Amino acid sequence: MAGLEDELGVRLFDRTTRRVSLTAAGHDFVRAIAPALSDIHAATEAARSQRGSPTGTLRINCSIAGGHQILVPFVTEFLRRYPGVKVDVVTEGRLVDIVQAGFDAGVRVANGVPPGMTIVPLHHGLRHRVVASPDYFKTHPRPVHPDDLGAHDCIRIRWPSGAPYEWEFEKDGEAMWVDVPWSLSLDNHGLITRAALAGAGLAYVAEAEVADYVASGRLVAVLGDWMPPGPGFCLYYPERRPIVGFASALAQVIAELRERGD
């Protein structure tokens, strides 16, 4: 590092007897070379994937709901085919720069993918449901129009930024966005589902997360004719280089399972 600093003519690290830390110039230098390091990582994984029995780690960043979409069947099938490969799935609400953060791929709703990315669809569309427990409906009428939500207890969704999410509805070309009344606000879809199961009120959640509860009768879905499919989840990766290594293999698994209709 001292040789690199001499060559650049600038100090990259502040050094004391107890610690070493980056200078402002050092932080700028690391940010600038991060994409190149990511390319080196991708090239290394691509080379490894050419071996008879590939090994290594595929890192995927996704939302919690995206994790539900990709884990089964795509990741489980990928691990079955490539037992020497590990998959590290990191779920978080905020949208991160997958290149800067060192991820091989990301999973998000298609209309939330950053520009400059190639997209591999995971399914045809994401449906939501408005649900509540049977106990809740013992004391509240079932809504038949989004305007009816004003008389209900709703579990508000909060974006990672802290801003509230307005519930989206559409029917016969009429679109509505409703800032629902609430007494409970959450930013985790799993907690929202649990709150709905406990009778806290109406919840607006992805169909895949509550399908089993609706089928078993633990939750009741309403306003179904106002809930058209929205943009689906997708795997994405930078356009500036071809998808390589393990991410390429996962994309192939996704394509095959979608073609079979699994």
Side-chain angles (χ1 to χ4, degrees):
M1 285 299 168
L4 179 60
E5 289 176 323
D6 289 341
E7 182 178 343
L8 295 174
V10 65
R11 191 174 77 257
L12 301 177
F13 295 91
D14 285 323
R15 301 174 178 85
T16 69
T17 56
R18 295 187 176 183
R19 58 177 296 185
V20 176
S21 60
L22 286 168
T23 63
H27 281 289
D28 291 340
F29 181 74
V30 170
R31 281 194 294 268
I33 68 172
L37 292 176
S38 179
D39 285 343
I40 293 172
H41 168 73
T44 301
E45 296 300 331
R48 287 175 177 167
S49 69
Q50 301 302 313
R51 299 184 302 187
S53 181
T55 60
T57 301
L58 169 64
R59 301 193 70 226
I60 304 172
N61 182 278
C62 60
S63 63
I64 294 173
H68 282 285
Q69 295 294 323
I70 196 172
L71 185 61
V72 179
F74 304 124
V75 169
T76 50
E77 174 63 16
F78 175 81
L79 290 171
R80 186 190 67 79
R81 295 188 189 187
Y82 303 97
V85 178
K86 299 177 181 178
V87 178
D88 181 15
V89 178
V90 176
T91 59
E92 52 189 318
R94 66 190 181 97
L95 182 63
V96 305
D97 184 327
I98 58 173
V99 175
Q100 292 282 355
F103 290 95
D104 300 293
V107 176
R108 299 282 167 174
V109 175
N111 62 1
V113 174
M117 296 287 169
T118 296
I119 294 174
V120 181
L122 298 179
H123 50 70
H124 296 294
L126 175 66
R127 294 187 69 94
H128 283 83
R129 286 285 181 259
V130 174
V131 297
S133 70
D135 285 343
Y136 175 82
F137 285 123
K138 289 179 180 178
T139 56
H140 298 80
R142 298 189 185 190
V144 296
H145 189 280
D147 286 342
D148 298 337
L149 296 174
H152 282 269
D153 297 325
C154 298
I155 304 167
R156 189 178 70 167
I157 307 168
R158 190 171 65 254
W159 291 110
S161 65
Y165 170 73
E166 294 185 338
W167 294 11
E168 301 177 55
F169 301 96
E170 183 179 345
K171 181 180 179 181
D172 299 331
E174 179 186 1
M176 298 183 65
W177 291 264
V178 181
D179 186 6
V180 296
W182 60 279
S183 56
L184 177 62
S185 180
L186 298 168
D187 64 356
N188 179 284
H189 288 272
L191 290 178
I192 291 171
T193 300
R194 292 186 64 180
L197 287 165
L202 292 169
Y204 188 103
V205 289
E207 182 178 52
E209 296 184 25
V210 295
D212 290 343
Y213 296 123
V214 172
S216 67
R218 294 186 63 190
L219 289 174
V220 177
V222 295
L223 297 174
D225 56 342
W226 281 89
M227 312 293 289
F233 279 95
C234 63
L235 179 82
Y236 66 94
Y237 57 91
E239 287 181 347
R240 62 186 178 81
R241 66 166 185 261
I243 190 167
V244 294
F246 306 139
S248 177
L250 177 58
Q252 182 62 36
V253 169
I254 291 170
E256 290 179 11
L257 293 184
R258 289 194 70 217
E259 185 175 353
R260 285 170 19 197
D262 292 357

